[in-house]
Amino acid sequence: MDTDTQYGYDTIRIRRHGQTKVRECPFLTRFKACPVRIRPCRRRVRVRHQYDTGTRGFSPCWCFLGEKKTRPGIKQLHIEEQLLRTSSENWCIVNDGTNDPTVVMGVSGKPAELLEIESVLDDQVPVIRRFTGGGTVIVDHGTVFVTFICNKEAVPNLQPYPRPIMSWSSSLYSKVFQGIGDFHLRENDYVFGNHKFGGNAQSITKNRWIHHTSFLWDFNVQNMSYLKHPKRAPAYRSARSHLDFICRMKDYMPRSTFMDKTVEATETQFSLRPIQLEAIRTCLEAEFCPSSRFLTNEELEAAAVALQS
Amino acid sequence: MASSMLWASRAASYLRISVFHRGFSTVLKDLKYADSHEWVKVEGNSATIGITDHAQDHLGDVVYVELPEVGAAVKQGESFGAVESVKATSDVNSPVSGKVVEVNEELSGSPAKVNSSPYEDGWIIKVEMKDAGELRNLMDSEEYSKFCEEEDSKH
């Protein structure tokens, strides 16, 4: 074991990208023995107390930062579901919304309860039922999506259940919005004060989970008219209309600052590695049947008829 | 129980404090348990399956249950459906392999039964088992209780 008692501590030498970095091992310092389960040593190869921590010792995570508003929302959902169910890697995906407004409902969403169906049909607004839970959003070019897809052990001490994951994501975004607009998590929504600007949804499998957030960077007031006031609304909404309930993130932070700070905050949790869209596609298996889908006009019309009767 | 938990959760959210889970979960003696927190009650060749009290407590209020079709094949350890609690869908995995012979249709109208009565009214599917030997891969009540304690103490 290499030791360095210059500062009165026993230390270990860590290989990091071929360089040597000396880091204090608290177990060696206090107990003169190391049972090797401390955060900096999560990924370890124990060779004479030398630990290969990788970059910063965090779980590796592929990071895709979308720059073009070219992929329809359904494609993004298909990719996310496929990565959740077939990949064994961790992913952070940041992307813009679609050019055309699209309604995206949660897995159990009922169109008749959530949508002004006649307006949706008249204006031919696409309606997607996604694979995650949560409520209904209308997404367009003013929406920013941030998605984390992780193995259940990727984040130390995080139980793979909805509330711990929500709490973890909230602590990550607290770093992004520190000191801005009284940011906090309020009943599963991201708010400035009591105005919502980010909605969350999750899906949890046996060994992995996904947490995605749609941020209202900007929105078209007219598009809000396609949505009804939901039956299952958070208490803090206090029966406010959509326009009184939500706010625009662009009024609080420049877009480039949000992207930079999100990456920075994510780097405190993961060892990020950039990846391009084409490389993501090569990771995906050819045969996968996603569950997110467009609702047909017939389904929407049937829902409207059922509501009237 | 579900409504008092909902009130507590909303109060905690307003006050911005953490909601702590109960320090215990109910575990029934005669059932077998999977490490993904499903239970199975075996009667002859028939198996009734649901999620445990530990699982429903950690998931929160269940608002929707995605049920498989009768006649669908299920495999031990693989997902056959899902439950949705607020904002999240969570896979439900089958503890045994076989064919679905009955689903609990009442959960379509009353998904909260999974919270209020996870081992009785909240059952999810009944399966005609393919291989009773698979039960050896499951935990009994004592092993499962210990498993839950260890899991909760790690976090």
Side-chain angles (χ1 to χ4, degrees):
Chain A
M1 181 179 73
D2 291 326
T3 60
D4 179 354
T5 58
Q6 181 180 354
Y7 302 106
Y9 294 115
D10 286 338
T11 56
I12 53 176
R13 293 198 181 277
I14 300 170
R15 282 179 288 113
R16 180 186 175 197
H17 296 308
Q19 298 171 349
T20 297
K21 181 180 169 78
V22 176
R23 180 176 291 179
E24 173 193 338
C25 174
F27 286 90
L28 286 175
T29 301
R30 191 168 175 189
F31 303 113
K32 304 300 177 190
C34 179
V36 282
R37 189 155 178 92
I38 58 175
R39 187 185 173 105
C41 303
R42 277 190 76 251
R43 292 193 59 186
R44 57 197 186 276
V45 175
R46 188 175 175 179
V47 178
R48 289 191 179 180
H49 269 101
Q50 284 184 329
Y51 297 90
D52 182 356
T53 63
T55 304
R56 304 194 190 191
F58 299 143
S59 295
C61 176
W62 294 107
C63 181
F64 171 69
L65 300 179
E67 292 172 5
K68 294 181 184 173
K69 305 178 184 68
T70 54
R71 274 187 300 125
I74 191 81
K75 292 282 186 192
Q76 165 113 5
L77 287 168
H78 286 171
I79 288 173
E80 288 180 2
E81 190 177 358
Q82 193 166 356
L83 289 175
L84 172 70
R85 297 221 173 254
T86 66
S87 169
S88 57
E89 307 275 349
N90 302 310
W91 300 86
C92 171
I93 300 172
V94 184
N95 213 352
D96 296 325
T98 62
N99 281 329
D100 299 321
T102 303
V103 172
V104 183
M105 297 193 306
V107 69
S108 64
K110 295 184 175 67
E113 290 178 8
L114 298 166
L115 306 179
E116 298 291 352
I117 296 184
E118 283 198 24
S119 303
V120 167
L121 286 169
D122 287 344
D123 296 344
Q124 289 292 293
V125 178
V127 177
I128 294 172
R129 175 170 281 128
R130 65 176 186 265
F131 68 102
T132 52
T136 306
V137 293
I138 182 145
V139 302
D140 57 23
H141 62 274
T143 316
V144 176
F145 300 101
V146 181
T147 300
F148 293 96
I149 305 170
C150 295
N151 293 311
K152 68 178 183 183
E153 67 277 351
V155 178
N157 304 318
L158 178 66
Q159 275 197 314
Y161 290 109
R163 284 175 290 212
I165 294 170
M166 188 74 69
S167 180
W168 168 82
S169 76
S170 164
S171 69
L172 187 143
Y173 286 112
S174 294
K175 298 182 176 84
V176 177
F177 298 109
Q178 194 170 16
I180 294 175
D182 188 23
F183 165 81
H184 52 276
L185 176 70
R186 190 112 185 240
E187 291 184 61
N188 306 304
D189 295 335
Y190 293 135
V191 299
F192 289 129
N194 68 344
H195 290 94
K196 176 179 175 178
F197 72 96
N200 296 291
Q202 301 168 345
S203 182
I204 303 169
T205 67
K206 196 172 175 184
N207 295 309
R208 288 167 67 73
W209 52 264
I210 180 171
H211 179 98
H212 54 199
T213 308
S214 58
F215 289 99
L216 286 172
W217 178 258
D218 193 3
F219 57 82
N220 184 330
V221 168
Q222 192 182 353
N223 289 341
M224 295 299 141
S225 63
Y226 294 120
L227 304 179
K228 283 184 177 174
H229 191 101
K231 275 186 187 176
R232 279 202 313 261
Y236 80 96
R237 181 168 178 159
S238 303
R240 286 177 284 166
S241 68
H242 286 297
L243 297 180
D244 289 333
F245 176 49
I246 57 180
C247 65
R248 293 176 171 87
M249 203 164 82
K250 71 174 189 178
D251 294 338
Y252 292 84
M253 180 184 271
R255 193 188 196 92
S256 57
T257 306
F258 170 70
M259 301 287 267
D260 290 344
K261 283 185 170 284
T262 299
V263 170
E264 205 176 287
T266 307
E267 282 178 333
T268 67
Q269 301 281 328
F270 299 99
S271 172
L272 287 186
R273 297 179 282 189
I275 191 168
Q276 301 302 314
L277 180 60
E278 282 312 309
I280 295 178
R281 288 197 177 121
T282 61
C283 297
L284 300 176
E285 290 175 10
E287 289 185 22
F288 176 78
C289 190
S291 58
S292 301
R293 64 179 184 88
F294 286 108
L295 296 189
T296 62
N297 281 350
E298 289 74 24
E299 286 174 302
L300 293 172
E301 285 161 3
V305 165
L307 180 67
Q308 284 163 8
S309 61
Chain B
M1 184 180 83
S3 60
S4 63
M5 289 283 282
L6 179 64
W7 179 89
S9 172
R10 288 183 173 176
S13 172
Y14 182 79
L15 295 170
R16 301 188 211 175
I17 58 176
S18 298
V19 176
F20 292 98
H21 296 291
R22 289 179 279 146
F24 62 92
S25 294
T26 305
V27 177
L28 297 190
K29 249 190 175 176
D30 299 327
L31 308 181
K32 289 286 205 178
Y33 299 87
D35 60 5
S36 47
H37 302 287
E38 292 86 13
W39 58 264
V40 58
K41 181 177 180 180
V42 178
E43 291 164 313
N45 204 34
S46 172
T48 306
I49 293 166
I51 66 169
T52 65
D53 186 40
H54 179 276
Q56 70 79 20
D57 183 48
H58 281 67
L59 288 176
D61 295 334
V62 173
V63 297
Y64 174 73
V65 181
E66 187 180 290
L67 296 166
E69 298 284 334
V70 172
V74 295
K75 201 173 163 190
Q76 187 178 56
E78 293 189 3
S79 169
F80 66 81
V83 294
E84 183 186 359
S85 47
V86 179
K87 302 294 183 179
T89 60
S90 301
D91 280 0
V92 185
N93 304 295
S94 182
V96 295
S97 304
K99 187 174 79 172
V100 176
V101 296
E102 193 178 345
V103 300
N104 188 352
E105 299 281 3
E106 290 194 12
L107 295 180
S108 299
S110 305
K113 286 187 179 185
V114 173
N115 296 114
S116 59
S117 181
Y119 297 112
E120 289 173 15
D121 298 338
W123 66 272
I124 301 177
I125 61 171
K126 291 187 180 175
V127 167
E128 184 185 303
M129 286 196 299
K130 195 170 148 184
D131 177 8
E134 284 182 337
L135 295 171
R136 286 194 293 271
N137 301 330
L138 304 176
M139 293 179 269
D140 62 24
S141 57
E142 277 186 30
E143 288 167 337
Y144 179 66
S145 292
K146 195 172 169 197
F147 175 77
C148 290
E149 279 170 22
E150 285 172 1
E151 194 179 79
D152 283 342
S153 68
K154 276 184 208 169
H155 302 99

